[in-house]
Amino acid sequence: MKVLITTDWYDPVINGVVTSVHTLEEELQKRGHEVRVLTLSRNYRSYEKEHVYYMGSTSAGRIYPQARFRLPIPERYVGELMEWGPDIIHSQCEFSTFFIARKIACEGNIPIIHTYHTIYEDYTHYFSPNKTWGKNVVRQITRKLSRQVSGMIVPSEKIRRILEGYQVECPLWVVPSGIRLSEFGGSGEEGTARRTEWREKIRKRYLLTPDSTVLLYVGRQAFKMAVGRRL
């Protein structure tokens, strides 16, 4: 199967979407599928590198850190992708590259599956002074998006319930984001030994004794923009 992945976020940016996209394309390729990626470049220039098409873009950092808007689409790249003939398009972002995905899908009668990574109502403080108004905007945009795709993948039951509350008009499938278990020690005796070695290195690095209690937080840290100050 030929799969076109479209995403506003890709290398060299490091975030959850990029990690998810890399895992997806690697696993699809391992299963024998042919994958190409269409994304935004970090400057005005459009170019192709291996299986990735980078579209020229301009900064939208005032809306969200490192975000970018696409510039006019080079028709030759769209033509190349149309000639390649993807069997399905898997979009990962709702903005710039989604519009390109829709263009290719409409011209080639190709289905689009979309992964809804982000709970945007948690980020309305970036563009809206009023949380209720911002949430309503997110709801309307998401419902419009749902009418343009064959279905949406969501990474958790929580997000599925939120989108059902938005009254989206397409099927929803819960598919947790994959992780590379090999990077966390693996399984069996070898994996256990590796994890024990990591623990000892961390305790040594932070001068922790073997009987010290260690608490671990797994999550993200970010700041909220308030009126004239950071929270």
Side-chain angles (χ1 to χ4, degrees):
M1 180 179 287
K2 295 180 179 180
V3 183
L4 174 61
I5 299 174
T6 61
T7 173
D8 290 11
W9 302 98
Y10 201 70
D11 297 339
V13 176
I14 299 174
N15 63 26
V17 173
V18 177
T19 300
S20 179
V21 168
H22 277 307
T23 302
L24 174 63
E25 63 176 306
E26 289 172 11
E27 293 302 318
L28 285 172
Q29 289 168 341
K30 284 180 183 178
R31 285 160 173 76
H33 302 294
E34 188 176 347
V35 179
R36 295 191 184 184
V37 178
L38 188 148
T39 187
L40 302 179
S41 72
R42 306 308 293 175
N43 52 47
Y44 299 141
R45 188 169 68 92
S46 296
Y47 61 96
E48 178 186 355
K49 184 177 180 181
E50 298 177 348
H51 68 292
V52 183
Y53 292 77
Y54 294 88
M55 303 292 101
S57 66
T58 186
S59 175
R62 290 193 176 187
I63 296 177
Y64 186 81
Q66 299 191 69
R68 301 188 70 84
F69 285 139
R70 67 174 174 83
L71 296 174
I73 310 166
E75 286 297 327
R76 76 180 185 90
Y77 291 134
V78 175
E80 283 184 23
L81 289 171
M82 289 293 300
E83 186 177 348
W84 174 59
D87 296 299
I88 193 168
I89 299 173
H90 191 158
S91 63
Q92 306 287 324
C93 296
E94 296 80 8
F95 304 106
S96 290
T97 52
F98 180 78
F99 295 105
I100 309 176
R102 280 292 300 162
K103 176 181 175 67
I104 296 173
C106 290
E107 292 185 7
N109 193 27
I110 303 164
I112 297 180
I113 298 297
H114 181 76
T115 292
Y116 198 91
H117 289 280
T118 307
I119 305 176
Y120 287 103
E121 64 180 63
D122 291 344
Y123 296 85
T124 55
H125 55 274
Y126 282 106
F127 65 85
S128 169
N130 182 283
K131 185 174 182 179
T132 300
W133 182 85
K135 185 174 181 178
N136 287 334
V137 169
V138 170
R139 179 185 292 109
Q140 294 304 318
I141 291 175
T142 303
R143 288 187 65 185
K144 181 178 179 180
L145 175 74
S146 73
R147 292 192 289 268
Q148 301 177 76
V149 300
S150 298
M152 285 190 191
I153 293 172
V154 294
S156 69
E157 287 289 340
K158 175 184 177 180
I159 298 181
R160 180 184 63 79
R161 290 193 296 270
I162 289 173
L163 296 194
E164 286 178 343
Y166 292 168
Q167 297 180 321
V168 296
E169 301 177 26
C170 69
L172 298 174
W173 302 291
V174 178
V175 181
S177 298
I179 60 174
R180 297 183 181 90
L181 294 176
S182 60
E183 296 183 6
F184 298 91
S187 60
E189 293 183 3
E190 182 180 348
T192 300
R194 191 176 302 170
R195 286 189 289 273
T196 299
E197 182 182 354
W198 286 350
R199 292 189 185 100
E200 291 175 353
K201 285 183 178 179
I202 291 172
R203 287 180 179 275
K204 183 176 180 180
R205 178 179 178 183
Y206 293 103
L207 304 177
L208 299 170
T209 62
D211 60 346
S212 297
T213 300
V214 180
L215 302 179
L216 172 66
Y217 167 76
V218 179
R220 66 175 294 170
Q221 292 180 319
F223 69 83
K224 271 192 172 184
M225 293 300 295
V227 180
R229 65 188 182 92
R230 292 183 180 181
L231 296 178

